[in-house]
């Protein structure tokens, strides 16, 4: 009985302690939140204070950039915007660029080039040349540079895709001969190939899975990458689907045709090699040979005279 009384006493003491703690905590928590609300009420910020509390970049730089981009977008023809959009897609959307992003980059680079050009030229020269060149040339070069960089990225990516197309079609032929369907063969090949071609195939397969017709997805693929071999392959597959021809035979014929075109391009470049080597030889090799061969003769003639 004594032990039972001791247990009950301990439980009662714990309950009383918890109750007292809760009673003390409740007003403290309420007071804390009330103090916070009172502080917010005492320091209510106006719209002007909220605007001034933002960083300088959000208050000044970003609005100016957005206005300039909107103005440039409104004055850029729709055809030019479509060209830029296709060029960005061909380049693989580097840095998640959009048309407005490219236009903003053109403004920024043109401004920086203009400032650097003015500082360097005015510092090194004394304006003994037309000032028009100082004012116009550096910003014009800066305005063109983003387009040139984007075109270079697109050309480099096209070259990588063009180099991987023959292997892609060969693997596709093997998968079709093994009994896979065309869609399953595309999925398998996209897992094996590497580089930008694998990325484009993955995009196409994802579009088909989300309900886009396969032929439309393939035509969009050919339009994005803008490579002659892929365009010919997509056209051949589309025609075979319309005419009911076996895809395996169509793909095999396209593989042979692409190999033949590659061989013809290699032979054409080889035939142009002699003509292209002529100018370096005239500018670099022939003058050295003339110096070596005619130099002693010229020295002998000078000594006799």
């Amino acid at each position: 009985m004594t032990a039972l009384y001791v247990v009950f006493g301990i439980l009662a003491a714990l309950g009383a302690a918890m109750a007292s703690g809760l009673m003390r905590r409740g007003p403290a928590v309420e007071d804390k939140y009330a103090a916070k609300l009172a502080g917010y009420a005492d320091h209510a910020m106006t719209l002007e204070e909220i605007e001034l509390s933002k960083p300088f970049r959000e208050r000044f730089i970003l609005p100016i950039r957005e206005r300039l981009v909107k103005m440039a977008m409104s004055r850029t023809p729709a055809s030019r915007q479509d060209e830029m959009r296709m060029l960005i897609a061909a380049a693989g959307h580097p840095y998640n660029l959009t048309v407005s992003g490219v236009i903003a980059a053109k403004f920024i680079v043109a401004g920086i080039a203009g400032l650097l050009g003015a500082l360097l030229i005015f510092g090194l020269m004394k304006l003994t040349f037309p000032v028009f060149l100082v004012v116009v040339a550096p910003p014009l070069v800066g305005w063109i540079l983003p387009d040139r960089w984007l075109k270079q990225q697109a050309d480099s990516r096209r070259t990588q895709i063009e180099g991987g197309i023959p292997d892609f079609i060969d693997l596709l032929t093997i998968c079709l001969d093994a009994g896979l369907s065309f869609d399953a063969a595309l999925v398998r090949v996209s897992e094996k190939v590497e580089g930008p071609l694998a990325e484009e195939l993955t995009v196409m397969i994802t579009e088909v899975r989300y309900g886009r017709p396969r032929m439309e997805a393939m035509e969009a693929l050919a339009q994005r990458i803008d490579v002659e071999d892929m365009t010919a392959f997509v056209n051949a597959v589309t025609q075979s689907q319309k005419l009911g021809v076996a895809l395996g035979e169509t793909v095999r014929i396209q593989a042979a045709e692409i190999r033949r075109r590659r061989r013809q391009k290699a032979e054409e470049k080889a035939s142009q090699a002699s003509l292209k080597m002529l100018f370096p030889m005239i500018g670099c090799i022939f003058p050295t040979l003339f110096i070596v061969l005619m130099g002693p003769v010229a020295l002998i003639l000078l000594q006799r005279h």
Side-chain angles (χ1 to χ4, degrees):
M1 293 293 291
T2 304
L4 187 60
Y5 290 149
V6 171
V7 172
F8 282 144
I10 293 172
L11 292 176
L14 290 174
M18 293 175 64
S20 62
L22 290 175
M23 292 177 64
R24 285 196 302 268
R25 188 185 304 175
V29 174
E30 292 177 0
D31 293 340
K32 182 172 70 174
Y33 286 115
K36 285 186 177 182
L37 291 174
Y40 290 141
D42 293 338
H43 298 86
M45 299 176 66
T46 62
L47 292 176
E48 184 178 359
E49 291 175 347
I50 293 173
E51 187 67 23
L52 292 175
S53 65
K54 294 180 179 179
F56 178 76
R57 179 173 176 270
E58 295 182 5
R59 288 188 289 110
F60 185 75
I61 297 178
L62 292 181
I64 291 178
R65 190 189 71 176
E66 291 177 359
R67 290 176 184 175
L68 290 175
V69 170
K70 287 181 180 179
M71 181 179 65
M73 289 285 289
S74 62
R75 297 184 179 182
T76 303
S79 59
R80 175 57 181 162
Q81 293 185 23
D82 292 337
E83 291 178 2
M84 294 176 66
R85 195 172 291 109
M86 293 300 298
L87 193 61
I88 292 171
H93 297 277
Y95 304 104
N96 294 324
L97 279 177
T98 58
V99 176
S100 60
V102 174
I103 294 177
K106 289 166 72 71
F107 274 110
I108 294 171
V109 177
I112 294 174
L115 291 175
L116 292 177
L119 291 175
L120 291 176
I121 296 176
F122 279 110
L124 298 177
M125 308 292 290
K126 294 184 179 180
L127 294 179
T128 57
F129 57 94
V131 183
F132 177 77
L133 296 177
V134 181
V135 177
V136 176
L140 183 61
V141 173
W143 181 265
I144 296 173
L145 278 178
D147 291 334
R148 299 302 302 172
W149 175 81
L150 194 61
K151 189 176 185 303
Q152 182 181 3
Q153 294 291 321
D155 292 340
S156 176
R157 195 166 185 269
R158 286 194 191 102
T159 302
Q160 295 179 12
I161 292 175
E162 190 174 4
I165 287 177
D167 295 334
F168 154 70
I169 296 182
D170 289 341
L171 289 174
L172 188 63
T173 304
I174 293 171
C175 292
L176 291 174
D177 291 341
L180 293 177
S181 64
F182 189 73
D183 293 334
L186 286 176
V187 174
R188 182 62 61 88
V189 172
S190 67
E191 296 173 354
K192 298 298 181 181
V193 297
E194 298 178 354
L197 183 58
E199 298 174 1
E200 294 294 341
L201 290 175
T202 303
V203 172
M204 184 196 70
I205 293 169
T206 304
E207 291 178 350
V208 173
R209 286 176 177 173
Y210 278 108
R212 189 173 188 178
R214 185 177 64 191
M215 290 299 102
E216 290 185 8
M218 293 187 68
E219 290 174 359
L221 169 68
Q223 189 176 9
R224 280 198 308 271
I225 63 178
D226 193 18
V227 175
E228 181 182 358
D229 292 339
M230 181 59 73
T231 303
F233 171 73
V234 170
N235 291 335
V237 172
T238 303
Q239 290 297 324
S240 65
Q241 287 286 307
K242 292 180 180 179
L243 299 175
V245 182
L247 285 176
E249 186 65 24
T250 301
V251 173
R252 190 177 295 105
I253 293 172
Q254 284 300 308
E257 185 67 19
I258 288 174
R259 298 289 184 185
R260 184 184 62 81
R261 285 200 296 265
R262 292 294 176 87
R263 186 168 56 253
Q264 289 179 350
K265 289 181 180 179
E267 292 175 354
E268 182 181 356
K269 290 182 178 180
S271 63
Q272 295 174 355
S274 59
L275 181 62
K276 292 180 179 179
M277 290 174 61
L278 180 62
F279 298 101
M281 291 177 65
I282 293 174
C284 301
I285 299 176
F286 286 168
T288 307
L289 290 176
F290 290 152
I291 292 172
V292 172
L293 296 176
M294 302 301 295
V297 177
L299 291 175
I300 293 172
L301 292 175
L302 288 175
Q303 288 176 359
R304 289 182 179 181
H305 290 287

